[in-house]
Amino acid sequence: MSFPKDFLWGGAVAANQYEGGWNAGGKGVSSADVVTRGSRTMPRYVTYKTADGKIHKDELFTLDAPEDAVFGVFEGFDYPSHEAVDGYHRFKEDIALFAEMGFKTFRLSINWTRIFPLRG
């Protein structure tokens, strides 16, 4: 079986895995920005601060944050979305690679906090 000559081969990326540049260009903090790295033996955590100034980490899939939780990024945690594959800074190279592979289409998702950067 062969594909029609006008078949559109393409690629796609997801913002939380691709973007990087988590605090560049006026972007606000997104939900992906406050999730730590996990592994097969360590769960992923969501980080936040409470009104008493204490920093917390709760497991991502069992998160039960209190009313006064302010989700944020804190020192000492590893947040994989912050660098991702750094499409924010390398998008031109990436698009050139897609073209080199013969891709005709490219679907890009953009983090909403890049468009609507809510500030607390």
Side-chain angles (χ1 to χ4, degrees):
M1 179 182 159
S2 62
F3 289 96
K5 193 173 186 114
D6 60 350
F7 186 83
L8 296 175
W9 286 104
V13 296
N16 65 319
Q17 297 172 329
Y18 175 72
E19 253 186 28
W22 78 276
N23 62 353
K27 180 184 169 295
V29 176
S30 71
S31 57
D33 294 331
V34 300
V35 176
T36 66
R37 185 177 313 275
S39 69
R40 291 190 315 166
T41 59
M42 186 176 68
R44 297 185 81 180
Y45 294 101
V46 176
T47 56
Y48 61 92
K49 186 186 285 190
T50 48
D52 62 5
K54 186 175 178 188
I55 295 170
H56 302 265
K57 66 175 188 176
D58 284 356
E59 285 191 30
L60 174 63
F61 296 110
T62 59
L63 177 64
D64 188 21
E67 290 277 328
D68 65 342
V70 176
F71 295 92
V73 173
F74 306 102
E75 211 163 307
F77 294 96
D78 181 13
Y79 303 97
S81 70
H82 290 196
E83 187 173 334
V85 295
D86 201 19
Y88 182 82
H89 295 102
R90 299 172 184 217
F91 69 93
K92 290 179 183 178
E93 298 165 49
D94 295 341
I95 292 170
L97 287 171
F98 278 133
E100 188 178 313
M101 290 187 285
F103 286 6
K104 303 286 188 208
T105 63
F106 177 61
R107 187 203 52 87
L108 168 73
S109 79
I110 298 172
N111 202 307
W112 276 107
T113 57
R114 228 173 253 296
I115 300 166
F116 300 107
L118 301 176
R119 301 285 182 209

